[in-house]
Amino acid sequence: VPSSEAGGEPLTDDALRGRTLAVDLSIWIVEARSSTALARQHAHPHLFLALSRALFLMRRGVELVFVLEGDRSPLTRVPARVRCPASQFEQWTSECRQVLEALGLPCVRADAEAEATCAAMSSLALVDGVITSDADAFLYGARAVIKGFSISEMKRGAARIFRAGLLHHAFAADTPDLVHRRLIAFALLVGSDLGVGVHGLGAAKALRFLRCVPSSEAGGEPLTDDALRGRTLAVDLSIWIVEARSSTALARQHAHPH
């Protein structure tokens, strides 16, 4: 993978100016509540971090939309990261929301995972990028993801922006749809928040395998009713679950899209 793609692009003030970004608020809360330095300096570290970062970005002309973890999220990983009950994490989220809305910043509640809603905004071009440390955002269709964001990282030039459109070389894919499908397959092979992956299979081997798999554009036969009739098929159920949970259309129509 070329270094410019593997390491993303530097996130500069010029790259931020005039942009609209969706923020996975839960990530900021986790970072704040797990920082011993912030805990020593501030009685409410989650409020300090959310406020200081929001003001930092607003001064650079960035429009912000904050996305809160949804009530229907099946994952308990967020509270677990800071070793607190879900009710405590929800209280911190509510406190941050009050402060952010007092600044006039919109806060929306996701149906399920916050990064999925952020990614949906990105895929629909409602925002220019997503701030999250959760790379699963790419699986949900995000076009640009900002990782490692903090004020100190910005000042020393370490924050990076990763673009899905630059992944076509890594996955030997020539269309955005094929890149997305191979991203999902890659996550299923090596593991993510949605699954543990294949034991002993690393990223390099998974990439080599996916590059060897021909795309539908390169070959294969049309799948017809006649070709299906009377056949016995094995179904990888995890693929269907990922497709269902990453579909914004299904999420709007069904409480349990999977």
Side-chain angles (χ1 to χ4, degrees):
V1 181
S3 59
S4 62
E5 297 174 16
E9 308 165 16
L11 185 65
T12 64
D13 284 353
D14 287 340
L16 283 173
R17 193 167 291 110
R19 303 299 182 183
T20 300
L21 302 177
V23 180
D24 181 351
L25 181 59
S26 65
I27 298 297
W28 286 11
I29 295 174
V30 168
E31 290 174 353
R33 299 304 308 193
S34 58
S35 168
T36 53
L38 285 180
R40 286 196 298 266
Q41 298 169 18
H42 305 279
H44 304 286
H46 54 293
L47 296 180
F48 169 79
L49 187 141
L51 178 61
S52 59
R53 287 184 178 180
L55 292 174
F56 178 87
L57 291 167
M58 290 169 69
R59 292 189 186 107
R60 282 152 181 78
V62 179
E63 299 284 340
L64 296 169
V65 179
F66 287 88
V67 181
L68 287 56
E69 201 75 4
D71 296 330
R72 293 212 314 267
S73 174
L75 305 177
T76 58
R77 68 189 186 281
V78 172
R81 287 176 185 170
V82 288
R83 298 179 182 177
C84 72
S87 59
Q88 177 64 75
F89 195 87
E90 181 56 35
Q91 179 181 332
W92 293 334
T93 301
S94 178
E95 292 169 354
C96 287
R97 181 175 192 167
Q98 291 178 40
V99 170
L100 295 169
E101 288 184 337
L103 292 175
L105 298 173
C107 297
V108 298
R109 174 77 67 175
D111 284 337
E113 297 90 342
E115 71 269 20
T117 297
C118 289
M121 292 180 180
S122 174
S123 66
L124 294 171
L126 300 176
V127 298
D128 299 300
V130 174
I131 297 181
T132 181
S133 64
D134 200 330
D136 280 353
F138 277 127
L139 304 184
Y140 290 115
R143 299 188 303 172
V145 174
I146 295 170
K147 298 189 68 178
F149 174 80
S150 70
I151 296 175
S152 60
E153 295 292 272
M154 275 290 299
K155 288 181 177 178
R156 71 186 189 91
R160 317 291 289 183
I161 180 167
F162 298 81
R163 301 185 188 279
L166 295 179
L167 295 174
H168 58 283
H169 290 305
F171 288 98
D174 52 9
T175 66
D177 179 64
L178 187 56
V179 169
H180 187 213
R181 284 189 277 126
R182 291 194 170 177
L183 266 173
I184 293 174
F186 179 78
L188 290 169
L189 289 171
V190 302
S192 69
D193 284 338
L194 301 176
V196 296
V198 178
H199 178 70
L201 182 65
K205 287 183 179 179
L207 273 176
R208 286 200 297 271
F209 168 74
L210 290 172
R211 287 169 178 161
C212 293
V213 177
S215 68
S216 58
E217 293 82 1
E221 308 168 10
L223 185 63
T224 64
D225 286 347
D226 288 340
L228 284 173
R229 192 169 291 111
R231 303 299 183 183
T232 301
L233 303 177
V235 178
D236 182 348
L237 182 60
S238 61
I239 295 291
W240 289 7
I241 294 173
V242 169
E243 291 175 348
R245 300 300 306 188
S246 60
S247 168
T248 54
L250 285 179
R252 286 194 297 266
Q253 298 169 22
H254 304 282
H256 304 287
H258 56 292

